[in-house]
């Protein structure tokens, strides 16, 4: 049954995957955005130019036809009126003028014989009045121009586009030459505006379709480009995982094909080089293992002899000449050192060969540390700060090796008392947690230039250190034993003085002893992933 926490984690992981796929650093998204911006710019520019050209063409064509018709009506009908017409004459003439093919409203303005201004419009229901004519247009129409070689008429036709109640109109006016009424025309441009709005909607839809098409083309182009890149990324990851037989299928002659060929050549060269290095490393490990194994047989005999000599020395029976006693003790000491070195070399070869295995047991950490200290007679030199009852699943023998090396190193180079403290972290959601064991001495500490190398094999801080102080493999073996548990060892200097080695181990490393299942469909071909 799925837990709510698992569902939340699943949703969070899915959302993270989606967001990572849509991040702007994604090449696919950038290609789509760039294609979209280019298509949008081109479509908007083309639509804008097309709309502007069509708008000017439509309005100019309508405007020219209306003004030409109005001017013709003014000459044919208003021009035959008397100089001082009556209102009825103006009304009748305006109605005749408005009946033209362009269907515009007409307003005629003149003075009667008494000097009074009379106005006649194209119909009783026509709302067009003198107040609808802009003041600037009335002024221009009524102003008499001087007759020159370039200006043959005192009055001209003037026009203006206005907006009244959100509706566009064309207003024009002129005056009869030689005396007569002034005429004004009002033409609604609403039909043209509707046609232009329809055109704008059509261009907008075309722009949207172009944008969608560009996005689809960008997606197709991105897929074409990114699919080989994706295969290359998968192949590179497989190569990094150690699957050196990974190769890419090469097709085409473009730059991506050249990149795939280069990858294949590099992978082939790397596989050859790694195989050669592995063979040399295997031969070296086999030599060390064989040498260590062959040394054990004579060492067993030598050790037995040195033990007898040591017993004779300790018995003080006088059977050993006092002149050769120092030499005998040196042989005993060096034999023990050689025996320890051979055992360490065999342990190292097991780690290098990957044959070291955990034998887990649930143990009390305090009891385990106490047994390690007691077995080496360090009880007087070590202070233990560990509560009883801290249980952990680990390999007791390997933990003993780790503790013996850390505590022994602290006693040898830092001096007593050595403090060993144990802490257990809180259990996590999986029921595990970490075990922390700190080994601190009260010596001068570790030089800063030595700290990065304390776990290196055969490393010694001083080349003048006596040969009997060790082989330089103890801390390296301790670190390998920590790694096989899934843990780590760090070295540092305490602010209070002395060196501090911190061992961190998982309290339940049982997952490390399970053999991982081979994933389905695993193969060495990079293009199949």
């Amino acid at each position: 049954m799925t837990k709510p926490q698992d569902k939340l984690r699943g949703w969070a992981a899915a959302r993270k995957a989606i967001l990572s796929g849509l991040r702007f650093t994604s090449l696919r998204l950038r290609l789509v955005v760039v294609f979209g911006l280019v298509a949008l710019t081109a479509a908007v520019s083309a639509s804008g130019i097309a709309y502007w050209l069509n708008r000017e063409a439509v309005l100019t064509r309508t405007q020219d036809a209306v003004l030409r018709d109005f001017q013709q009506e003014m000459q044919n009908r208003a021009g035959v009126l008397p100089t001082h017409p009556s209102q009825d004459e103006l009304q009748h003439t305006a109605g005749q003028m408005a009946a033209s093919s362009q269907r515009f409203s007409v307003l005629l303005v003149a003075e009667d014989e008494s000097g009074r201004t009379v106005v006649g419009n194209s119909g009783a229901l026509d709302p067009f009045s003198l107040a609808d004519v802009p003041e600037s247009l009335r002024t221009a129409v009524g102003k008499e121009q001087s007759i020159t070689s370039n200006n043959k008429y005192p009055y001209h036709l003037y026009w203006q586009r206005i907006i009244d109640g959100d509706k566009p109109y064309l207003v024009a006016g002129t005056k009869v030459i030689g005396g007569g009424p002034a005429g004004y025309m009002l033409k609604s441009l609403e039909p043209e505006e509707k046609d232009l709005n329809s055109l704008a909607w059509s261009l907008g839809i075309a722009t949207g379709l172009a944008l969608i098409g560009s996005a689809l083309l960008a997606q197709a182009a991105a897929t074409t480009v990114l699919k080989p890149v994706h295969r290359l990324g998968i192949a590179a990851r497989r190569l990094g995982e150690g699957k050196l037989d990974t190769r890419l299928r090469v097709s085409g002659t473009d730059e991506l094909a050249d990149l795939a060929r280069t990858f294949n050549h590099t992978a082939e060269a790397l596989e050859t080089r790694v195989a050669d290095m592995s063979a040399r490393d295997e031969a070296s490990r086999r030599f060390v293992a064989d040498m260590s194994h062959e040394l054990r047989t004579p060492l067993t005999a030598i050790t037995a002899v040195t033990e007898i000599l040591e017993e004779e020395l300790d018995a003080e029976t006088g059977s050993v000449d006092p002149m050769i006693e120092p030499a005998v003790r040196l042989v005993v000491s060096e034999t023990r050192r050689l025996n320890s070195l051979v055992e360490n070399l065999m342990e190292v070869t097991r780690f290098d060969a990957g044959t070291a295995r955990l034998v887990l047991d649930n143990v009390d950490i305090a009891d385990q540390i106490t047994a390690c200290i007691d077995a080496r007679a360090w009880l007087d030199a070590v202070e233990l700060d560990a509560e009883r009852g801290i249980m952990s699943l680990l390999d007791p023998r390997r933990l003993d090796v780790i503790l013996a090396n850390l505590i022994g190193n602290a006693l040898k180079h830092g001096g007593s008392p050595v403090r060993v403290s144990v802490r257990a972290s809180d259990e996590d959601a999986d029921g595990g947690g970490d075990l922390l064991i700190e080994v601190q001495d009260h010596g001068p500490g570790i030089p800063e230039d030595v700290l990065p190398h304390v776990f290196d094999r055969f490393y010694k801080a001083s080349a003048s250190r006596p040969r009997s102080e060790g082989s330089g493999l103890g801390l390296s073996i301790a670190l390998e034993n920590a790694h096989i548990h899934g843990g780590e060892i760090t070295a540092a200097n305490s602010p209070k003085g002395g060196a501090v080695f911190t061992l961190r181990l998982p309290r339940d490393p049982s997952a490390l002893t399970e053999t991982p299942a081979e994933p389905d469909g695993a193969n060495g071909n990079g293009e199949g992933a």
Side-chain angles (χ1 to χ4, degrees):
M1 186 174 183
T2 305
K3 298 180 181 179
Q5 295 86 348
D6 296 336
K7 291 183 177 180
L8 291 176
R9 282 196 291 267
W11 280 108
R15 184 178 63 180
K16 184 177 180 181
I18 294 174
L19 291 178
S20 63
L22 295 179
R23 66 187 187 279
F24 192 69
T25 54
S26 169
L27 182 58
R28 183 184 301 274
L29 180 59
R30 281 186 287 174
L31 283 174
V32 172
V33 170
V34 169
F35 269 72
L37 289 177
V38 172
L40 183 63
T41 302
V44 169
S45 300
S47 299
I49 294 173
Y51 177 80
W52 181 77
L53 292 176
N54 280 275
R55 180 178 182 277
E56 290 302 315
V58 170
L59 292 179
T60 300
R61 183 172 60 251
T62 302
Q63 174 182 293
D64 291 346
V66 171
L67 293 179
R68 186 170 54 251
D69 196 16
F70 173 66
Q71 191 172 25
Q72 189 68 31
E73 290 294 328
M74 284 292 294
Q75 292 176 357
N76 296 338
R77 299 189 183 277
V80 299
L81 288 173
T83 307
H84 301 288
S86 64
Q87 184 175 5
D88 292 338
E89 290 174 331
L90 292 176
Q91 194 83 17
H92 178 70
T93 302
Q96 290 179 332
M97 293 174 62
S100 69
S101 60
Q102 296 298 326
R103 299 296 178 181
F104 45 73
S105 300
V106 179
L107 181 68
L108 297 176
V109 182
E111 293 183 354
D112 59 8
E113 295 180 351
S114 62
R116 183 171 59 88
T117 300
V118 292
V119 178
N121 58 19
S122 55
L125 300 178
D126 197 333
F128 186 36
S129 64
L130 196 60
D132 297 325
V133 182
E135 181 66 28
S136 59
L137 184 62
R138 294 202 303 267
T139 302
V141 169
K143 184 177 181 180
E144 184 176 0
Q145 304 289 332
S146 300
I147 302 299
T148 63
S149 58
N150 295 326
N151 183 31
K152 299 180 180 180
Y153 303 102
Y155 300 103
H156 297 273
L157 176 65
Y158 298 94
W159 58 271
Q160 186 175 346
R161 294 174 190 168
I162 62 173
I163 301 295
D164 186 14
D166 295 332
K167 294 182 180 180
Y169 292 93
L170 175 65
V171 181
T174 187
K175 194 171 183 179
V176 176
I177 300 174
Y184 298 96
M185 178 273 301
L186 180 69
K187 170 66 176 178
S188 175
L189 299 178
E190 188 174 1
E192 286 75 15
E193 183 185 35
K194 290 181 179 179
D195 293 340
L196 292 175
N197 288 339
S198 299
L199 176 63
W201 273 104
S202 300
L203 293 175
I205 294 174
T207 300
L209 293 176
L211 187 60
I212 295 174
S214 68
L216 295 177
L217 289 175
Q219 177 69 15
T223 301
T224 303
V225 174
L226 295 181
K227 192 173 182 180
V229 176
H230 179 65
R231 289 177 176 175
L232 180 61
I234 294 177
R237 283 195 296 272
R238 294 173 65 89
L239 201 64
E241 293 170 356
K243 300 174 182 177
L244 302 181
D245 59 341
T246 301
R247 299 293 184 271
L248 288 172
R249 184 181 59 187
V250 180
S251 59
T253 58
D254 56 5
E255 289 80 359
L256 292 174
D258 292 340
L259 181 61
R261 292 189 187 93
T262 303
F263 175 87
N264 289 340
H265 294 329
T266 304
E268 184 177 357
L270 181 62
E271 184 179 16
T272 303
R273 180 66 61 84
V274 170
D276 183 53
M277 294 178 62
S278 298
R280 294 182 182 181
D281 188 54
E282 179 64 26
S284 176
R285 286 200 304 267
R286 189 181 303 110
F287 171 76
V288 173
D290 293 344
M291 182 190 67
S292 302
H293 181 74
E294 292 299 327
L295 284 175
R296 294 189 70 179
T297 301
L299 268 178
T300 302
I302 295 173
T303 302
V305 173
T306 55
E307 287 177 353
I308 295 173
L309 291 176
E310 187 178 18
E311 290 177 357
E312 291 294 330
L313 290 174
D314 294 338
E316 297 181 356
T317 59
S319 58
V320 179
D321 189 342
M323 296 295 293
I324 65 171
E325 181 179 346
V328 173
R329 293 191 181 277
L330 179 60
V331 170
V332 172
S333 175
E334 290 301 308
T335 302
R336 288 177 177 172
R337 180 174 178 273
L338 182 59
N339 197 27
S340 175
L341 177 60
V342 170
E343 292 294 333
N344 287 340
L345 285 174
M346 295 188 68
E347 184 75 3
V348 167
T349 55
R350 281 193 289 268
F351 282 119
D352 289 343
T355 58
R357 295 291 181 267
L358 289 175
V359 180
L360 298 179
D361 190 12
N362 198 21
V363 298
D364 188 307
I365 300 300
D367 291 343
Q368 188 70 21
I369 298 175
T370 301
C372 174
I373 297 172
D374 186 40
R376 292 161 179 84
W378 290 339
L379 289 175
D380 296 334
V382 178
E383 298 177 357
L384 178 59
D385 180 15
E387 296 182 1
R388 301 281 180 178
I390 300 179
M391 307 299 293
S392 182
L393 189 64
L394 45 79
D395 189 325
R397 185 187 70 83
R398 296 190 182 278
L399 178 62
D400 183 78
V401 172
I402 296 173
L403 294 173
N405 279 290
L406 294 182
I407 299 174
N409 184 76
L411 289 172
K412 185 182 299 182
H413 303 296
S416 60
V418 172
R419 181 178 178 82
V420 180
S421 58
V422 180
R423 290 184 293 111
S425 64
D426 295 334
E427 294 186 356
D428 54 26
D430 297 329
D434 287 337
L435 178 70
L436 298 177
I437 302 177
E438 289 186 354
V439 179
Q440 181 177 2
D441 60 44
H442 293 80
I446 305 173
E448 293 298 329
D449 59 332
V450 176
L451 270 175
H453 307 286
V454 292
F455 295 105
D456 293 350
R457 294 178 182 178
F458 301 105
Y459 181 81
K460 296 182 180 181
S462 174
S464 63
R465 183 181 299 177
R467 294 175 64 252
S468 60
E469 287 195 7
S471 62
L473 288 174
L475 291 179
S476 174
I477 292 175
L479 183 62
E480 294 290 349
N481 278 296
H483 285 169
I484 200 174
H485 279 87
E488 186 62 62
I489 303 178
T490 57
N493 289 316
S494 174
K496 299 179 180 179
V500 179
F501 285 82
T502 303
L503 169 65
R504 180 186 295 270
L505 296 176
R507 299 182 66 179
D508 185 6
S510 56
L512 299 176
T513 61
E514 299 175 0
T515 303
E518 191 70 22
D520 293 337
N523 57 67
N525 196 330
E527 56 110 7

